[in-house]
Amino acid sequence: MRSTFIAGAVVIAAATVASAQEVTLRAVSAFAEKTTYSRGFELFIERVNRDGKGVLQINYIGGPKAMPPFEVGNALKSGVVDLANSTGAFYTNVMPEADSWKLTERPMAELRKNGGYGYMSHLYAEKMNAIFLARHVDGNPFHLYLNKPISSPDLTGLKIRITPVYRDFFQALGATVVQTAPGEVYTALERGVVDGYGWPITGIFDLGWHEKTKYRVDPGFYTAEVSILVNKSTWDRLTDAQRDLLRKAGEQAEGAAVAIFAEENAKDTKRQADAGIQTIKLDRSPASSISAGTRRRNIASIPASTPRKCRSW
């Protein structure tokens, strides 16, 4: 009887220890669940939860319905959440340097080798209490979408929805800018609050924006960035095994990004045409000269201590 009791106690104790070793992290996305810019993050979570049973699990609390997009950066920094899926454009109030991701012209695989990632990861740790784990949206250009036609790169008299990513660019083209979260764009278009918006080539079908969009302006500009961030204080408390689970899943997400978005870009370009969205093609010369001016201002805002090679991303 006594030996049976001891054996049972040992089993219970072992189960308790195993359970104590498993850590559950809270995660949030700045984009609506199951949409283009959350899917890579959701696949990352599936991988971690599948491979991390008994070691590490992620509790996905959702997207903007759980937390407004522009609050995600502060929530991650303060530890309200442990992981976040967001774009630098949504947390420039916490880390202004995140705006530089839009200027990258090389894939993350190269930035990890040339010093760009190393410098930025230092800033994330220092200013945002964050680990920049992986970028899962890469090679994805922004575009201007309109419900009124234009014949030149002049947006004077037009109200355009923006995020900080393209505020300077659209203002340089003469637009009146209106900043909103993605979830408010459809209503803003429907009510005539804005005449158009900035958004990448993919994702306008996720929230029904194609219903209120008549034109896409080519060429695209800048490049979209959506990444997985981990609160640094949380990261430091994890075991090596737990960190390795996150790294492995992050590497898979980042490694597939360029190929995934090359395919998605082509697919959504065709889908827009099929939906009746007309393409306005502008000559690259005037548009690029303004874009270049904006680019110089943005690069000039990067701290002088930034290594020179990072300025030519």
Side-chain angles (χ1 to χ4, degrees), residues 30-59:
F31 300 92
E33 299 97 315
K34 302 185 185 304
T35 60
T36 300
Y37 298 108
S38 282
R39 282 196 289 268
F41 183 54
E42 290 161 353
L43 181 57
F44 162 85
I45 291 173
E46 288 177 16
R47 287 169 175 155
V48 171
N49 288 346
R50 180 194 64 212
D51 299 337
K53 292 177 180 177
V55 180
L56 179 71
Q57 293 290 285
I58 297 174
N59 176 24

Side-chain angles (χ1 to χ4, degrees), residues 79 92 121 127 143 145 196 215-216:
T92 51
S121 65
K127 296 194 170 189
H143 284 264
Y145 296 89
Y215 306 96
R216 185 190 72 246

Side-chain angles (χ1 to χ4, degrees), residues 17-295:
V17 170
S19 176
Q21 289 176 341
E22 183 179 273
V23 171
T24 299
L25 305 180
R26 283 167 52 86
V28 68
S29 177
F31 300 92
E33 299 97 315
K34 302 185 185 304
T35 60
T36 300
Y37 298 108
S38 282
R39 282 196 289 268
F41 183 54
E42 290 161 353
L43 181 57
F44 162 85
I45 291 173
E46 288 177 16
R47 287 169 175 155
V48 171
N49 288 346
R50 180 194 64 212
D51 299 337
K53 292 177 180 177
V55 180
L56 179 71
Q57 293 290 285
I58 297 174
N59 176 24
Y60 182 33
I61 62 176
K65 291 181 181 178
M67 181 178 294
F70 292 103
E71 293 180 15
V72 169
N74 264 321
L76 182 82
K77 180 179 180 179
S78 62
V80 172
V81 294
D82 302 300
L83 291 107
N85 177 61
S86 189
T87 172
F90 289 177
Y91 53 80
T92 51
N93 60 318
V94 179
M95 185 179 152
E97 293 87 349
D99 197 37
S100 64
W101 286 120
K102 71 186 180 189
L103 302 176
T104 58
E105 297 178 339
R106 295 173 173 80
M108 278 300 294
E110 188 171 340
L111 297 184
R112 286 184 179 273
K113 295 177 182 178
N114 71 7
Y117 167 78
Y119 182 76
M120 290 296 283
S121 65
H122 170 75
L123 290 179
Y124 272 86
E126 181 182 79
K127 296 194 170 189
M128 200 172 169
N129 188 34
I131 300 295
F132 188 97
L133 187 68
R135 176 176 179 172
H136 66 88
V137 175
D138 205 349
N140 186 226
F142 289 100
H143 284 264
L144 170 62
Y145 296 89
L146 296 167
N147 53 26
K148 297 178 180 178
I150 59 173
S151 58
S152 67
D154 183 358
L155 303 182
T156 302
L158 296 178
K159 301 183 295 293
I160 306 297
R161 174 267 177 186
I162 56 103
T163 68
V165 164
Y166 25 71
R167 177 188 285 113
D168 289 346
F169 182 30
F170 289 168
Q171 285 181 327
L173 295 174
T176 298
V177 298
V178 180
Q179 181 168 309
T180 73
E184 301 169 11
V185 174
Y186 186 96
T187 302
L189 290 166
E190 187 174 47
R191 296 179 179 176
V193 174
V194 296
D195 303 305
Y197 56 91
W199 195 255
I201 189 65
T202 54
I204 73 165
F205 293 91
D206 289 336
L207 299 174
W209 299 352
H210 63 289
E211 297 173 5
K212 303 297 178 182
T213 304
K214 295 181 179 179
Y215 306 96
R216 185 190 72 246
V217 180
D218 283 0
F221 59 94
Y222 300 157
T223 182
E225 166 270 328
V226 182
S227 301
I228 302 166
L229 310 178
V230 186
N231 174 272
K232 187 176 183 302
S233 300
T234 297
W235 180 266
D236 291 342
R237 289 194 299 267
L238 297 178
T239 66
D240 288 344
Q242 290 163 345
R243 286 193 287 261
D244 284 345
L245 274 167
L246 294 175
R247 283 196 195 98
K248 181 180 178 182
E251 287 170 359
Q252 288 177 289
E254 188 172 285
V258 173
I260 286 174
F261 277 90
E263 182 178 342
E264 291 296 317
N265 294 350
K267 187 187 301 181
D268 267 29
T269 299
K270 181 181 185 302
R271 191 178 177 190
Q272 289 177 25
D274 292 344
I277 296 174
Q278 300 177 51
T279 303
I280 298 174
K281 295 185 178 180
L282 299 179
D283 181 80
R284 287 180 177 271
S285 299
S288 62
S289 65
I290 296 174
S291 179
T294 303
R295 178 175 295 230

